[in-house]
């Protein structure tokens, strides 16, 4: 009789090609996010809180590779606090006045750095601590605003729909760029990205928006198309900005947590820049 351990070893994801790993990881990750968001707003809160925590810790780890010394633990704690406050305020359990807790908590960064004798450039560490909050925590927290923007109740369609559009754009860009990519999009920052890939991603994103507009009724059709435009443009710039960050510290991927994709920031870089624009659009219109 074969050992169950030997059977399980055959399904090691590292045994698959990069594309195979990419597909398997995407299917597992997307299933967890979609099912959790469908289940309840609390499951959504836990899942995205974890994604935020992993992403922000990853950012601070990468900053350390470039010689920076951000407050990794406290910065992540503050990021999760902002995310938690925004969720409880949007769900109606806290009033807007509790947003003011963010400012004294953020000020503690200066006090902590003041007593760190080992830091040769404390203000550089302070700057990177705040950058991690602004770059990672704030966009994730603004997803809460988008989720409750329609009528003050949780609408999973906004979150799932935005992510499906983003994933459709990324997948379309990947396959179109691999097959047809010749004209460089932004060679100085990301040599592999092409205009053909960008257009392929835009086409699949708008196709996804058309499908969503027929099934998700939380938003009017035109709003889905506007969100798609935001994701295509801001998401592409988010990808380029993260590539610029990685090139500045001379690494290929932000991590190895997600086989076939790299790290959490590699997977959610487009979301980080899209989320603020989506939240602003939904709150204004």
């Amino acid at each position: 009789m074969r050992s169950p351990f030997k059977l399980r070893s055959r399904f090691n994801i590292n045994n698959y090609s990069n594309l195979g790993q990419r597909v398997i990881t995407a299917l597992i990750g997307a299933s967890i996010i979609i099912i959790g968001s469908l289940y309840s707003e609390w499951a959504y809160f836990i899942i995205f809180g974890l994604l935020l925590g992993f992403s922000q810790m990853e950012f601070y780890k990468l900053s350390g590779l470039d010689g920076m010394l951000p407050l990794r633990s406290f910065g992540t704690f503050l990021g999760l606090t902002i995310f938690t406050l925004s969720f409880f305020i949007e769900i109606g359990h806290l009033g807007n006045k509790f947003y003011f807790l963010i400012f004294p908590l953020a000020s503690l960064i200066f006090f902590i750095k003041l007593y760190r004798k080992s830091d040769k450039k404390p203000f550089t560490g302070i700057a990177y601590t705040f950058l991690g909050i602004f770059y990672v925590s704030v966009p994730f927290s603004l997803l809460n605003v988008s989720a409750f923007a329609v009528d003050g109740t949780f609408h999973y369609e906004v979150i799932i729909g935005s992510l499906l559009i983003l994933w459709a754009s990324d997948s379309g860009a990947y396959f179109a760029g691999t097959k047809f990519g010749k004209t460089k999009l932004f060679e100085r920052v990301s040599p592999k990205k092409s205009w053909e890939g960008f257009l392929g991603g835009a086409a699949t994103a708008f196709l996804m928006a058309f499908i969503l507009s027929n099934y998700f009724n939380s938003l009017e059709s035109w709003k889905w198309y506007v969100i798609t435009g935001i994701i295509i443009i801001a998401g592409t710039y988010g990808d380029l900005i993260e590539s610029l960050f990685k090139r500045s510290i001379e690494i290929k991927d932000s991590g190895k947590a997600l086989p076939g994709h790299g790290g959490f920031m590699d997977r959610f870089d487009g979301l980080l820049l899209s989320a603020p624009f989506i939240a602003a659009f939904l709150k204004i219109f």
Side-chain angles (χ1 to χ4, degrees):
M1 182 175 180
R2 295 181 180 179
S3 168
F5 297 103
K6 291 183 178 180
L7 288 174
R8 279 198 294 269
S9 68
R10 293 186 177 183
F11 295 95
N12 188 336
I13 194 171
N14 293 320
N15 294 333
Y16 292 85
S17 65
N18 182 265
L19 178 59
Q21 293 179 28
R22 189 180 183 92
V23 171
I24 293 170
T25 302
L27 289 174
I28 295 173
S31 298
I32 293 172
I33 291 173
I34 292 172
I35 292 171
S37 299
L38 284 169
Y39 183 73
S40 73
E41 60 265 40
W42 298 105
Y44 151 82
F45 169 70
I46 293 171
I47 291 170
F48 277 83
L50 289 172
L51 293 175
L52 161 60
F54 290 137
S55 298
Q56 196 161 349
M57 289 288 283
E58 194 172 80
F59 174 82
Y60 288 139
K61 181 181 178 181
L62 295 177
S63 301
L65 295 178
D66 203 29
M68 308 305 169
L69 294 173
L71 296 175
R72 186 174 176 181
S73 297
F74 185 77
T76 304
F77 163 76
L78 183 54
L80 288 169
T81 300
I82 295 171
F83 178 79
T84 302
L85 279 173
S86 68
F87 179 81
F88 278 88
I89 289 170
E90 293 298 326
I91 205 172
H93 291 354
L94 293 175
N96 289 335
K97 61 185 178 182
F98 284 91
Y99 274 127
F100 285 94
L101 287 173
I102 295 170
F103 303 107
L105 286 173
S107 298
L108 292 177
I109 293 172
F110 296 99
F111 291 95
I112 295 170
K113 274 293 184 180
L114 182 65
Y115 287 94
R116 289 285 181 90
K117 297 180 180 179
S118 59
D119 289 5
K120 295 181 179 179
K121 296 182 178 180
F123 268 84
T124 304
I126 290 170
Y128 270 82
T129 303
F130 278 111
L131 179 59
I133 294 166
F134 187 79
Y135 181 42
V136 182
S137 172
V138 171
F140 271 97
S141 300
L142 287 172
L143 287 178
N144 296 330
V145 175
S146 298
F148 291 88
V150 178
D151 54 14
T153 59
F154 179 71
H155 283 274
Y156 66 83
E157 299 98 323
V158 176
I159 300 299
I160 294 177
S162 297
L163 287 173
L164 287 174
I165 292 169
L166 177 64
W167 294 334
S169 177
D170 287 346
S171 299
Y174 176 81
F175 288 108
T178 302
K179 183 73 174 178
F180 306 106
K182 293 181 180 179
T183 311
K184 301 300 181 183
L185 178 65
F186 211 118
E187 189 171 8
R188 178 174 62 86
V189 174
S190 185
K192 291 185 178 181
K193 287 183 174 55
S194 64
W195 278 104
E196 291 82 2
F198 173 80
L199 293 175
T204 52
F206 276 112
L207 176 61
M208 179 60 71
F210 172 76
I211 296 171
L212 292 174
S213 66
N214 286 286
Y215 292 96
F216 286 177
N217 299 317
S218 296
L219 300 175
E220 297 94 323
S221 295
W222 70 272
K223 289 184 179 179
W224 282 117
Y225 292 121
V226 172
I227 288 174
T228 301
I230 290 172
I231 289 172
I232 291 169
I233 297 172
T236 300
Y237 274 109
D239 196 354
L240 290 170
I241 288 168
E242 209 231 337
S243 295
L244 182 64
F245 175 56
K246 290 188 293 185
R247 286 178 72 85
S248 69
I249 54 179
E250 299 179 345
I251 61 170
K252 180 183 178 182
D253 297 320
S254 66
K256 298 180 180 180
L258 304 174
H261 295 271
F264 286 94
M265 291 186 63
D266 289 316
R267 182 65 278 179
F268 295 101
D269 51 8
L271 180 68
L272 297 179
L273 213 63
S274 300
F277 290 94
I278 294 172
F281 167 69
L282 290 177
K283 291 297 285 187
I284 293 172
F285 295 97

